[in-house]
Amino acid sequence: MTRALLIVDVQNDFTEGGALGVIGGDAVAAGITRHLRAHAEEYAVIVASRDWHDADSDNGGHIVPDGSEPAPDYVATWPPHCIAGTEGAEYDPGLDTTAVTHHVKKGQGKPAYSMFEGVTDDGSTVAAVLAEQGIETVDVVGIATDHCVRASALDAIEHGQHVRVLIDLIAGVAQEPSDAALAELAHAGAELGRSEPA
């Protein structure tokens, strides 16, 4: 097998009720779990990433503390979210991570959108994991379409992977930038597919 599944940031702070929750986040978690139960054996590698921001810093200007001025712009600066060790940083409970082979943490003290900017607990990068396993094709799922899914999929393409974004297993912050992100990914060579027929 030369296929991997990349699960981007399906965390409590990015699903309903979280600090930066997106509509449809819980459904994405449940959908990925169904997909894994049906198809996990088709992947040589299953990588799941999490934002994992330091509690005692602004993480390179990425996080604006509550009550600060200027307020977060929701483009380059954000309210506190996915702080290491908090419930918000944990995987959404609807996501069954039993089949995950590699857990990646990103944004430790700095901004990071792509899972390729993170590392596993033993310090390996996603690019190194994929290369070591001879991966040539990746399916990308997760949150959020217009931010970390976009960045992770673009980086996968840059690292020579054939990328398929499973559009029924993603959720974005807003419709217009999410549509733009998918158009950008398609233009860059990604396939836009589905985990199962519509």
Side-chain angles (χ1 to χ4, degrees), residues 169-192:
L169 298 179
I170 57 176
V173 174
Q175 192 65 49
E176 187 174 335
S178 293
D179 289 345
L182 291 178
E184 179 185 8
L185 289 168
H187 182 74
E191 175 186 350
L192 304 182

Side-chain angles (χ1 to χ4, degrees), residues 2-193:
T2 58
R3 181 183 294 274
L5 179 66
L6 307 183
I7 304 170
V8 182
D9 298 2
V10 182
Q11 298 170 260
N12 288 323
D13 270 347
F14 295 143
T15 56
E16 283 86 349
L20 293 172
V22 303
I23 296 171
D26 287 334
V28 164
I32 294 170
T33 292
R34 288 193 299 273
H35 182 66
L36 285 169
R37 288 175 180 161
H39 301 287
E41 71 282 352
E42 298 170 19
Y43 297 104
V45 174
I46 299 172
V47 183
S49 69
R50 281 179 289 175
D51 261 9
W52 201 257
H53 296 307
D54 291 347
D56 56 354
S57 82
D58 67 0
N59 292 269
H62 184 69
I63 290 178
V64 175
D66 292 331
S68 296
E69 291 294 339
D73 63 15
Y74 294 87
V75 177
T77 59
W78 305 86
H81 64 279
C82 299
I83 302 301
T86 67
E87 187 65 23
E90 297 303 326
Y91 293 116
D92 183 282
L95 177 66
D96 183 350
T97 61
T98 305
V100 172
T101 59
H102 297 80
H103 297 271
V104 170
K105 294 174 181 171
K106 62 186 179 67
Q108 297 172 281
K110 60 187 177 183
Y113 294 90
S114 169
M115 69 156 56
F116 284 78
E117 298 176 83
V119 293
T120 63
D121 287 340
D122 68 3
S124 297
T125 64
V126 174
V129 169
L130 299 180
E132 287 164 8
Q133 298 294 323
I135 302 299
E136 299 173 351
T137 302
V138 297
D139 289 345
V140 180
V141 300
I143 304 169
T145 309
D146 35 351
H147 294 284
C148 298
V149 168
R150 170 190 172 273
S152 297
L154 286 172
D155 274 356
I157 292 168
E158 190 163 318
H159 282 87
Q161 296 293 326
H162 174 76
V163 172
R164 183 174 66 153
V165 179
L166 302 182
I167 61 171
D168 57 325
L169 298 179
I170 57 176
V173 174
Q175 192 65 49
E176 187 174 335
S178 293
D179 289 345
L182 291 178
E184 179 185 8
L185 289 168
H187 182 74
E191 175 186 350
L192 304 182

